[in-house]
């Protein structure tokens, strides 16, 4: 510890600084375990003579003189990893290339001399950290104390308290280390919990007490420490803990911490586990000198805020009694949203797909998406003119049943402030809050697929939420959970919470268990930015930051705009009933526009007249558009924006097409999709399955359900149609029948044989089969959104069991069954719902087909006037199709029919379970081709009804052969047919009892059922089903049979249809196997003539 003499001629400045550094490491050794260190790289440099014996103009001579001192330092007890091949993770020495301003490099030493010369001339001309360092040197600080400060900057410690006495120098290391650690904890406390003291509530109703972890006294600091300078630099950190600016006073640190984390923005990001992501945010959040908005930017914000504010007040004045779910209290959403669009365009984004609830929707439509103001005003008056009076020429004039104006969507290509263009699409949605979330995500994923946007940088989803809904609706977490799944991710979603601080009439403490409504988002390591909704510049800042985050890290991000709701849940609701104190404050509240206007005038940015001019320009435009809306006529694109180019509406004829495929094509594709690549080792059972399928193709016989589905997919793929199938366990199939994705038993590699159809000519996932998360609501919504984007695809969702679909009932009820009628949105989405009574109990038997049938919009009392093949528009005119097919070939044709038509309709497939391996549920390959050799063959197209196996004519006219010998005709649907047929064969009653399968339940095959009733005029009609009487299809078919009985050519008693099935029940099925078997035998016997239940 004695001071060594410096070499003759060496620089005194360099020598004392270098000596100070070495003494610092000696002090660490004496500290006795207070800090464990790895041997610094510079000690090796001391021993490397060539490094320090370079020419005099580049090598500090004091380094050579100090080398003997360095060699005397012993680090052995403090370097347990010195002999290891590599240092342990997290404790690796920092390479020289990563260091900044290393004192012991020749270049930096020369730099230091120049820096000291500058300091002597003007102390303010050097960085504050160096000024402090040199100032301490001049004050006579000892080498040990001086090196304490420098090394603290390098190691992340704090500056020691300088006693300037030799007695204190021995304790300085321990004291400095403790203070450094405490200061770092204080900084971290602000980074973690500073948001809890942020000024977020515009109403200032939240009563806050400073958390103990944000009190400097907890860490041993007092007011006397405010002017002391500390080193807070830490390697590989950004922001406050950065090596770029290591020296600050405690007062400066606290001031910046409060400004950054306790201002009008509250940042939550320290829960994120990725260090680089946290550093990226810190670098942008903890900016020492934030860039202020220019006058031009402030004018843009003012104009956008004026449009947002005055649009609402204009509607309020014109339509005082109308519900509009206005944005008052969160008007800053509009300028913030538009800033996000501008930034997104700047970062290469081409489209935004938006989903949002009703609050503020009209404002977003008008000011963000740019829906014509005349159209919005017209909707307040009387809505669009009825069909037939539209100006549409040569196109569909179908207007559907419509929806309220704050549920409607639209799309628009709009220019951005910075010279780009952006396609904005606002997806229509119901009042069910958050239900649209995954619909938007799915639509965005489809955009990315069709536009080859592999990293998701060009197409973004934006979801707006209410505070109560974000914390209360489970679909929010389902959406977040899907965000990083390989076949569902879109590279991040921008979530915007319009935080009214009240959920309808419920206060937050009664509507959630977490401090923030956004806390659910922290479960997936994404940042949350809370912002005061009255500070438009702060709102704009976080929106830009959020978009930058999404584009950089491709994950979700949440912006929580803490605001208020000026009126009640709607404009005619009385909020004082439930929130009297809040609304007394709200009534006194000054709008964000007025606050910002006053601020701009006060700081001299604009004059009062300039502010008035901006507002007057907005008002003049609103008045003009309102006046012109009196004669507004909806343009075709306004109504038909959702119709794809060339696709037809419900009022336009679309001819029925054949769905059969040439035999040579079937053989080629069949061979391809049943071939497992060489070198791939499937499970031995799967190998047998694929070998059996190949034999089916080669022989042309015995094609089962799974192979029929694969052939449908393969032929569609070859024709250039994208196919996507998802759901729980769909890769293998719930019942181990599909095996569309194989796993190598040795390597775990994955193989999808259907992708061999297109090879490298299409994107890898042109055929997608993917197991989903354990979600129905979210995943079905996703697939619906996916299907909305492009009609040239077959998108399917399969429930694990059919009754599990009731977890997604909102999507089914509000979107799939009624979306076209409400919003003119066509979709060809196909639902596969496993169904069938085989003794598995109440939850694994029924897909609740009665619910889907009940939602069918077909009139059971009216027979369509034209049921001819070439002119039939029955399916087009109704909302969806429901089928319960009984042969693999018919399943093949109904899937292909979804794509081979000029319109799109949802398809509900009541799919089988035990028919998947039933020996009689097979089809010959001839039934899949494009030729129909006889009347009993299945080929060419889907069969809505399959006549009895003894029938030989499909004629519907007078040439139909009449069978007078039949005593009973049993109508049924689904797998019960095979049990009926087996029992009939056992009884030998094929001539007396006929069995007719209704394959398409809705729309009802009126013409074909009419034909069968006429074919068997003496036969008693029976409806047989497995389900209880109050379930299944009985209540759907019974009134339709009655309508047919009234027809002159049939003329039967209205009550003639007999019922054979289970009695009415509360539960779908019994849980007792013996009871199930007894019931099944009973209903089959009843149907065939033994004790029919009336």
């Amino acid at each position: 510890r004695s001071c060594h003499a410096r070499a003759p001629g060496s620089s005194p400045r360099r020598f004392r600084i270098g000596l100070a550094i070495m003494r610092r490491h000696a002090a660490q050794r004496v500290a006795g375990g207070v800090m464990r260190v790895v041997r610094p790289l510079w000690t090796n440099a001391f021993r490397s003579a060539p490094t320090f014996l370079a020419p005099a103009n580049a090598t500090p001579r004091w380094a050579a003189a100090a080398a003997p001192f360095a060699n005397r330092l012993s680090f052995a007890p403090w370097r347990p990893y010195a002999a290891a091949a590599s240092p342990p993770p997290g404790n690796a020495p920092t390479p020289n290339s990563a260091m900044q301003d290393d004192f012991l490099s020749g270049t930096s030493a020369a730099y230091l001399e120049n820096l000291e010369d500058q300091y002597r001339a003007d102390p303010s001309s050097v960085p504050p950290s160096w000024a402090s360092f040199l100032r301490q040197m001049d004050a006579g600080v000892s080498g040990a104390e001086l090196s304490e400060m420098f090394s603290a900057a390098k190691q992340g410690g704090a500056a020691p308290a300088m006693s300037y006495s030799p007695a204190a120098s021995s304790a300085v290391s321990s004291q400095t280390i403790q203070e450094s650690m405490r200061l770092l904890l204080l900084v971290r406390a602000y980074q973690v919990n500073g948001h809890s003291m942020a000024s977020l509530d515009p109403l200032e109703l939240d009563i806050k007490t400073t958390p103990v972890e944000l009190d400097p006294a907890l860490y041993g600091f007092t007011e006397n420490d405010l002017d002391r300078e500390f080193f807070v630099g830490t390697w590989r950190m950004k922001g406050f803990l950065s090596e770029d600016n290591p020296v600050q006073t405690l007062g400066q640190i606290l001031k910046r911490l409060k400004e950054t984390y306790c201002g009008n923005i509250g940042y939550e990001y320290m829960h994120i586990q990725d260090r680089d992501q946290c550093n990226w945010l810190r670098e942008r959040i903890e900016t020492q000198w934030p860039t202020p908005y220019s006058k031009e930017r402030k004018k843009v914000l003012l104009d956008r805020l004026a449009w947002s504010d005055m649009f609402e007040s204009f509607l309020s004045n014109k339509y005082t009694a109308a519900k509009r779910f206005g944005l008052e209290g969160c008007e800053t959403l509009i300028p913030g949203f538009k800033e996000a669009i501008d930034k997104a365009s700047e970062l290469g984004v081409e489209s935004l797909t938006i989903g949002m609830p009703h609050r503020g929707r009209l404002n977003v439509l008008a000011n963000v998406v740019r829906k014509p103001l005349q159209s919005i005003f017209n909707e307040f008056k009387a809505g669009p003119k009825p069909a037939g009076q539209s100006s549409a020429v040569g196109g569909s004039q179908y207007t559907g049943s419509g929806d309220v104006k704050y549920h409607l969507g639209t799309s628009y290509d709009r220019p951005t402030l910075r010279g780009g263009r952006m396609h904005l699409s606002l997806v229509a949605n119901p009042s069910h809050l958050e239900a649209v979330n995954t619909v938007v995500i799915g639509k965005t994923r489809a955009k990315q697929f069709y536009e080859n946007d592999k990293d998701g940088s060009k197409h973004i989803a934006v979801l707006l939420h209410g505070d109560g809904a974000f914390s209360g609706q489970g679909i929010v977490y389902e959406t977040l959970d899907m965000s990083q799944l390989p076949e569902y991710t879109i590279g991040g979603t921008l979530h915007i919470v319009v935080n009214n601080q009240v959920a309808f009439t419920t206060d937050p403490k009664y509507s959630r268990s977490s401090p923030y409504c956004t806390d659910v988002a922290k479960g997936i390591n994404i940042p949350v930015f809370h912002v005061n909704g009255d500070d438009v510049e702060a709102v704009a800042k976080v929106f830009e930051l959020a978009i930058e985050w999404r584009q950089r890290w491709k994950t979700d991000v949440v912006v929580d705009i803490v605001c208020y709701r000026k009126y009640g849940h709607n404009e005619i609701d009385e909020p004082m009933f439930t929130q009297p104190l809040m609304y007394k404050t709200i009534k006194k509240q000054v709008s964000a526009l007025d606050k910002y206007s006053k601020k701009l005038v006060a700081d001299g940015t604009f004059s009062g007249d300039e502010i008035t001019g901006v507002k007057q320009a907005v008002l003049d435009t609103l008045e003009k558009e309102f006046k012109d809306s009196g004669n507004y006529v909806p343009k075709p694109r306004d109504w038909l924006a959702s119709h794809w180019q060339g696709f037809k509406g419900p009022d336009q004829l679309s001819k029925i097409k054949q769905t059969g495929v040439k035999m040579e094509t079937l053989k080629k594709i069949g061979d391809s999709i049943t071939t497992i690549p060489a070198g791939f080792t499937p499970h031995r059972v799967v190998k047998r399955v694929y070998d059996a399928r190949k034999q089916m193709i080669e022989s042309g016989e015995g094609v089962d359900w799974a192979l029929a589905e694969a052939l449908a997919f393969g032929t569609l793929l070859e024709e250039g149609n994208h196919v996507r199938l998802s759901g729980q366990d769909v890769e293998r199939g719930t019942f181990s029948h599909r095996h569309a994705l194989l796993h190598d038993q040795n390597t775990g590699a994955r193989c999808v044989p259907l992708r061999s159809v297109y090879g490298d000519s299409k994107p890898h996932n042109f055929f997608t089969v993917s197991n989903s998360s354990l979600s129905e609501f979210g995943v079905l919504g996703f697939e619906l959104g996916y299907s909305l984007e492009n009609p040239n695809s077959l998108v399917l969702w399969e429930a694990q069991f059919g009754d599990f679909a009731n977890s997604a009932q909102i999507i089914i009820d509000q979107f799939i069954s009624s979306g076209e009628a409400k919003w003119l949105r066509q979709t060809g989405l196909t639902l596969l719902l496993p169904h069938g009574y085989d003794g598995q109990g109440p939850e694994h038997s029924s897909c609740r087909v009665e619910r889907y049938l009940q939602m069918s919009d077909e009139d059971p009392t009216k027979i369509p006037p034209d049921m001819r093949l070439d002119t039939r528009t029955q399916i087009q005119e109704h909302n969806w199709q429901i089928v319960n097919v009984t042969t693999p070939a018919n399943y093949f044709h109904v899937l292909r029919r979804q794509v081979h038509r000029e319109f799109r309709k949802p398809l509900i497939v009541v799919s089988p379970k035990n028919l998947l391996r039933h020996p009689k549920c097979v089809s010959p390959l001839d039934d899949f081709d494009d030729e129909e050799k006889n009347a009993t063959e299945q080929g060419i197209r889907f069969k809505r009804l399959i006549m009895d196996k003894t029938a030989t004519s499909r004629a519907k006219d007078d040439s139909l052969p009449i069978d007078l010998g039949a005593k009973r005709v049993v109508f049924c649907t689904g797998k019960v047919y095979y049990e009926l047929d087996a029992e009939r064969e056992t009884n030998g009653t094929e001539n007396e009892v006929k069995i007719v399968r209704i394959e398409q339940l809705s729309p009802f095959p009126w013409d074909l059922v009419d034909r069968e009733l006429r074919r068997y005029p003496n036969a008693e009609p029976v409806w047989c089903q497995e389900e209880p009487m109050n379930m299944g299809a009985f209540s759907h078919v019974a009134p339709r049979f009655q309508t047919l009985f009234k027809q002159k050519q049939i003329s039967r008693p209205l009550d003639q249809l007999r019922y054979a099935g289970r009695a009415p029940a509360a539960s779908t099925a019994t849980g007792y196997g013996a009871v199930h078997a007894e019931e099944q035998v009973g209903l089959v016997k009843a149907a065939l003539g033994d004790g029919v239940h009336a």
Side-chain angles (χ1 to χ4, degrees):
R1 293 185 182 81
S2 60
C3 183
H4 289 253
R6 61 183 177 90
S10 62
S11 166
R13 288 182 288 178
R14 295 178 183 175
F15 177 75
R16 59 181 174 147
I17 294 172
L19 188 59
I21 295 170
M22 291 184 287
R23 292 194 61 183
R24 162 62 178 149
H25 287 283
Q28 285 180 339
R29 192 193 187 310
V30 175
V34 175
M35 180 182 295
R36 306 181 77 179
V37 298
V38 176
R39 177 200 294 269
L41 292 181
W42 58 263
T43 59
N44 292 328
F46 272 138
R47 293 191 177 96
S48 178
T51 301
F52 294 99
L53 298 178
N57 61 351
T59 304
R61 286 172 291 172
W62 54 267
F69 179 84
N71 286 325
R72 289 180 57 189
L73 295 178
S74 175
F75 289 90
W78 286 271
R79 51 183 180 92
Y81 308 111
S86 60
N91 200 24
T94 304
N96 284 327
S97 60
M99 293 185 175
Q100 297 183 10
D101 298 338
D102 194 319
F103 273 98
L104 298 181
S105 71
T107 302
S108 291
Y111 163 75
L112 181 61
E113 285 192 336
N114 292 334
L115 197 69
E116 185 174 2
D117 291 337
Q118 294 177 32
Y119 173 76
R120 300 289 176 227
D122 180 8
S124 64
S125 65
V126 300
S129 58
W130 287 114
S132 174
F133 193 90
L134 294 167
R135 185 168 59 253
Q136 297 283 9
M137 286 175 54
D138 289 343
V141 180
S142 68
E145 292 172 329
L146 190 62
S147 63
E148 287 278 356
M149 292 190 297
F150 178 78
S151 193
K154 292 285 187 184
Q155 300 290 340
M162 296 306 174
S163 62
Y164 306 116
S165 66
S169 62
S170 62
V172 71
S173 178
S174 176
Q175 176 185 346
T176 301
I177 292 170
Q178 291 177 19
E179 288 187 332
S180 297
M181 293 176 64
R182 293 199 301 266
L183 183 56
L184 295 181
L185 289 174
L186 175 59
V187 172
R188 181 175 176 81
Y190 270 90
Q191 291 170 336
V192 173
N193 292 316
H195 57 83
S196 63
M197 290 303 294
S199 177
L200 301 176
D201 182 10
L203 304 178
E204 299 181 352
L205 293 176
D206 53 338
I207 301 173
K208 295 183 178 181
T209 56
T210 302
V212 64
E213 61 268 23
L214 300 185
D215 185 355
L218 177 67
Y219 307 94
F221 298 111
T222 68
E223 290 187 5
N224 295 331
D225 298 313
L226 292 177
D227 292 330
R228 286 179 53 201
E229 291 182 323
F230 292 85
F231 284 87
V232 291
T234 301
W235 284 110
R236 300 185 65 187
M237 297 287 280
K238 298 294 182 182
F240 291 119
L241 302 182
S242 169
E243 68 272 20
D244 297 329
N245 188 28
V247 178
Q248 300 175 56
T249 68
L250 179 62
Q252 290 173 328
I253 295 170
L254 289 174
K255 180 175 181 292
R256 285 187 57 206
L257 285 170
K258 291 176 180 177
E259 289 174 348
T260 300
Y261 290 104
C262 304
N264 285 350
I265 303 174
Y267 300 99
E268 286 192 278
Y269 65 93
M270 292 294 284
H271 56 276
I272 299 174
Q273 299 178 17
D274 189 294
R275 182 188 183 95
D276 291 336
Q277 291 181 354
C278 290
N279 273 337
W280 186 91
L281 282 171
R282 274 190 286 262
E283 193 172 21
R284 285 152 181 79
I285 293 169
E286 299 178 353
T287 305
Q288 186 169 4
W289 295 286
T291 304
Y293 280 102
S294 66
K295 181 176 181 178
E296 291 73 19
R297 288 292 301 282
K298 290 180 179 180
K299 185 174 182 179
V300 170
L301 290 177
L302 174 66
D303 179 72
R304 290 171 168 176
L305 185 57
W307 270 104
S308 176
D309 181 284
M310 298 178 70
F311 175 80
E312 297 293 355
S313 60
F314 187 85
L315 292 181
S316 178
N317 293 333
K318 298 295 184 182
Y319 310 105
T320 54
K323 287 184 182 180
R324 54 185 171 82
F325 297 95
L327 195 57
E328 290 96 336
C330 192
E331 296 91 342
T332 55
L333 167 67
I334 301 302
F337 202 160
K338 296 175 86 168
E339 286 290 313
I341 292 172
D342 291 338
K343 174 57 71 172
S345 177
E346 183 181 306
L347 296 177
V349 178
E350 296 176 0
S351 79
L352 264 64
T353 304
I354 307 165
M356 68 176 297
H358 39 274
R359 189 183 177 206
R361 190 180 188 92
L362 295 179
N363 207 320
V364 170
L365 280 167
N367 289 316
V368 176
V369 188
R370 301 283 186 88
K371 182 175 181 177
L373 292 173
Q374 293 182 36
S375 176
I376 295 174
F377 295 147
N378 185 65
E379 289 163 3
F380 272 96
K381 296 175 182 178
K385 291 178 170 58
Q389 300 179 29
S390 169
S391 63
V393 177
S396 173
Q397 296 185 28
Y398 174 76
T399 60
S401 59
D403 200 351
V404 292
K405 51 191 167 291
Y406 38 80
H407 288 170
L408 301 177
T410 193
S411 60
Y412 185 77
D413 285 312
R414 60 159 290 168
T416 61
L417 185 67
R418 298 164 195 176
R421 293 196 70 83
M422 180 77 67
H423 179 76
L424 304 180
S425 176
L426 178 60
V427 177
N429 66 275
S431 288
H432 293 66
L433 297 176
E434 308 295 335
V436 77
N437 288 3
T438 55
V439 179
V440 171
I441 304 302
K443 194 171 189 298
T444 305
R445 170 82 181 203
K447 280 181 180 290
Q448 293 172 349
F449 171 79
Y450 291 112
E451 297 293 329
N452 198 30
D453 182 14
K454 294 181 180 179
D455 65 350
S457 61
K458 296 179 181 178
H459 302 280
I460 291 181
V462 180
L463 293 176
L464 285 82
H465 315 266
D467 51 321
F470 197 82
S471 61
Q473 292 289 322
I475 186 62
V476 172
Y477 183 76
E478 292 187 34
T479 306
L480 294 169
D481 181 57
M482 292 166 65
S483 65
Q484 295 301 313
L485 302 183
E487 295 298 342
Y488 301 89
T489 183
I490 59 169
T493 299
L494 170 59
H495 298 271
I496 304 168
V497 180
V498 177
N499 189 344
N500 302 320
Q501 305 183 77
V502 60
F504 202 163
T505 63
T506 307
D507 291 326
K509 70 176 180 179
Y510 296 106
S511 66
R512 65 173 184 261
S513 299
S514 57
Y516 294 110
C517 64
T518 55
D519 283 344
V520 64
K522 293 193 287 186
I524 61 167
N525 286 322
I526 63 174
V528 180
F529 306 139
H530 309 279
V531 60
N532 189 313
D534 267 8
D535 186 343
V536 65
E537 292 186 7
V539 170
K541 176 182 177 181
V542 296
F543 268 90
E544 284 197 285
L545 179 62
I547 287 294
E548 289 178 354
W549 167 275
R550 191 274 177 195
Q551 289 297 88
R552 173 60 181 84
W553 298 107
K554 298 298 188 293
T555 70
D556 290 22
V557 58
V558 179
V559 173
D560 176 26
I561 308 176
V562 184
C563 54
Y564 58 92
R565 191 182 63 198
K566 185 175 181 180
Y567 302 106
H569 178 63
N570 58 64
E571 287 71 23
I572 58 178
D573 189 39
E574 178 48 78
M576 292 289 286
F577 290 156
T578 52
Q579 278 78 34
L581 300 181
M582 171 183 279
Y583 276 86
K584 285 179 182 178
T585 303
I586 289 175
K587 287 179 180 179
K588 302 174 185 176
Q589 193 74 3
V590 177
S591 72
L593 175 60
D594 289 342
K595 287 182 178 179
Y596 194 52
S597 298
K598 292 177 181 177
K599 176 180 179 294
L600 294 176
V601 172
D603 64 19
T605 304
F606 298 111
S607 67
D609 289 342
E610 288 175 308
I611 300 289
T612 302
V614 171
K615 295 179 179 179
Q616 189 60 48
V618 173
L619 182 60
D620 291 345
T621 303
L622 289 169
E623 288 287 2
K624 181 181 183 301
E625 294 293 313
F626 178 78
K627 181 179 179 181
D628 294 342
S629 68
N631 299 317
Y632 178 77
V633 176
K635 299 176 183 178
R637 69 178 183 86
D638 293 344
W639 273 113
L640 307 178
S642 62
H643 286 230
W644 303 305
Q645 187 72 30
F647 278 74
K648 297 182 177 180
D651 58 342
Q652 296 173 294
L653 175 63
S654 172
K655 292 185 178 182
I656 296 171
K657 299 180 179 180
Q658 295 184 4
T659 52
V661 179
K662 291 184 180 300
M663 182 58 70
E664 56 267 30
T665 302
L666 289 170
K667 291 274 190 179
K668 181 188 74 172
I669 293 175
D671 180 69
S672 177
I673 65 178
T674 58
T675 299
I676 298 175
F680 189 92
T681 308
H683 191 279
R684 63 181 183 277
V685 173
V686 175
K687 178 69 164 56
R688 288 201 301 268
V689 168
Y690 270 73
D691 288 344
R693 290 180 185 176
K694 187 173 286 292
Q695 179 60 33
M696 295 173 195
I697 296 296
E698 292 173 353
S699 68
E701 298 294 334
V703 175
D704 64 10
W705 200 272
L707 180 55
E709 179 186 79
L711 286 170
F713 293 167
T715 53
L716 289 171
L717 290 166
E718 189 190 48
E719 293 163 354
N721 301 289
H722 175 39
V723 177
R724 177 183 170 90
L725 168 64
S726 86
Q728 296 159 21
D729 308 313
V730 298
E731 296 170 0
R732 183 201 72 177
T734 300
F735 312 103
S736 296
H737 70 286
R738 181 173 290 121
H739 296 294
L741 190 152
L742 312 182
H743 298 265
D744 190 294
Q745 299 299 294
N746 296 325
T747 66
R750 294 153 62 97
C751 170
V752 181
L754 269 161
R755 288 176 178 162
S756 65
V757 173
Y758 54 85
D760 296 330
S761 64
K762 300 287 185 182
H764 178 68
N765 56 348
F766 195 65
F767 171 68
T768 296
V769 57
S770 175
N771 291 341
S772 72
S773 63
L774 205 64
S775 157
E776 290 83 27
F777 189 175
V779 175
L780 181 56
F782 182 99
E783 302 306 334
L784 169 64
Y786 200 99
S787 72
L788 292 172
E789 182 61 24
N790 191 310
N792 299 313
S793 62
L794 178 64
V795 181
L796 309 96
W797 175 78
E798 183 176 63
Q800 192 177 62
F801 286 90
D803 53 340
F804 289 0
N806 56 20
S807 295
Q809 203 66 40
I810 290 175
I811 298 296
I812 295 165
D813 292 357
Q814 314 308 130
F815 290 87
I816 299 174
S817 70
S818 56
E820 183 176 17
K822 293 189 296 187
W823 310 314
L824 306 176
R825 295 298 295 171
Q826 289 191 5
T827 172
L829 180 64
T830 298
L831 277 63
L832 306 180
L833 308 178
H835 173 95
Y837 282 63
D838 44 23
Q840 293 195 48
E843 270 67 61
H844 291 149
S845 296
S846 175
C847 74
R848 296 283 191 171
V849 65
E850 64 275 3
R851 295 180 175 176
Y852 301 92
L853 293 169
Q854 185 184 39
M855 286 187 282
S856 297
D857 64 354
E858 182 184 55
D859 189 338
T861 67
K862 294 180 180 179
I863 300 174
D866 188 353
M867 294 294 289
R868 292 174 297 174
L869 179 65
D870 292 338
T871 55
R872 187 168 67 234
T873 59
Q874 185 189 25
I875 292 179
Q876 287 176 258
E877 294 171 356
H878 297 297
N879 60 330
W880 57 10
Q881 316 144 93
I882 302 170
V883 301
N884 190 356
V885 296
T886 57
T887 71
N890 223 19
Y891 180 48
F892 168 88
H893 287 291
V894 79
L895 292 179
R896 286 181 52 78
R897 186 180 73 167
Q898 279 297 90
V899 177
H900 286 279
R901 51 172 46 148
E902 298 173 300
F903 62 91
R904 293 290 178 262
K905 291 286 178 180
L907 172 64
I908 311 299
V909 178
V910 181
S911 56
K913 295 184 293 179
N914 65 11
L915 292 190
L916 299 173
R917 295 181 178 84
H918 196 289
K920 289 195 173 182
C921 186
V922 293
S923 300
L925 199 58
D926 287 344
D927 282 358
F928 298 76
D929 68 12
D930 59 346
E931 297 180 9
E932 192 167 43
K933 302 177 182 66
N934 58 65
T936 61
E937 193 178 73
Q938 186 72 49
I940 295 182
R941 68 179 68 88
F942 173 71
K943 300 298 185 289
R944 296 172 293 144
L945 177 147
I946 299 178
M947 56 194 184
D948 185 77
K949 63 183 181 181
T950 63
T952 58
S953 174
R954 291 184 182 147
K956 293 189 286 185
D957 55 18
D958 294 340
S959 65
L960 174 70
I962 304 300
D963 185 345
L964 299 177
K967 303 301 181 184
R968 174 166 293 203
V969 54
V970 180
F971 291 90
C972 66
T973 187
K975 72 104 173 170
V976 72
Y977 163 77
Y978 290 96
E979 294 169 74
L980 290 168
D981 186 49
E983 181 68 14
R984 183 177 61 169
E985 286 184 359
T986 300
N987 297 339
T989 56
E990 287 92 339
N991 292 330
E992 294 82 14
V993 178
K994 307 300 179 182
I995 305 174
V996 177
R997 289 170 270 176
I998 298 181
E999 302 280 284
Q1000 179 174 291
L1001 291 165
S1002 179
F1004 193 67
W1006 297 93
D1007 54 330
L1008 303 181
V1009 176
D1010 174 279
R1011 181 190 69 192
E1012 299 309 309
L1013 289 171
R1014 288 188 291 111
R1015 189 196 302 271
Y1016 308 111
N1018 297 332
E1020 180 185 33
V1022 176
W1023 175 259
C1024 180
Q1025 66 177 35
E1026 299 180 292
E1027 303 85 359
M1029 179 185 277
N1030 57 320
M1031 303 175 196
F1034 178 62
S1035 60
H1036 173 78
V1037 301
R1040 288 164 172 79
F1041 271 91
Q1042 290 180 347
T1043 300
L1044 286 169
F1045 291 164
K1046 296 176 184 178
Q1047 301 305 303
K1048 182 178 180 181
Q1049 69 273 21
I1050 297 176
S1051 187
R1052 292 174 181 253
L1054 297 183
D1055 62 349
Q1056 191 182 34
L1057 181 68
R1058 300 296 181 179
Y1059 171 77
R1062 288 177 168 83
S1067 176
T1068 56
T1070 179
Y1072 302 106
V1075 174
H1076 162 78
E1078 181 181 350
E1079 290 176 343
Q1080 201 75 6
V1081 170
L1083 69 89
V1084 170
K1085 288 185 177 296
L1088 297 179
D1090 185 8
V1092 176
H1093 174 72

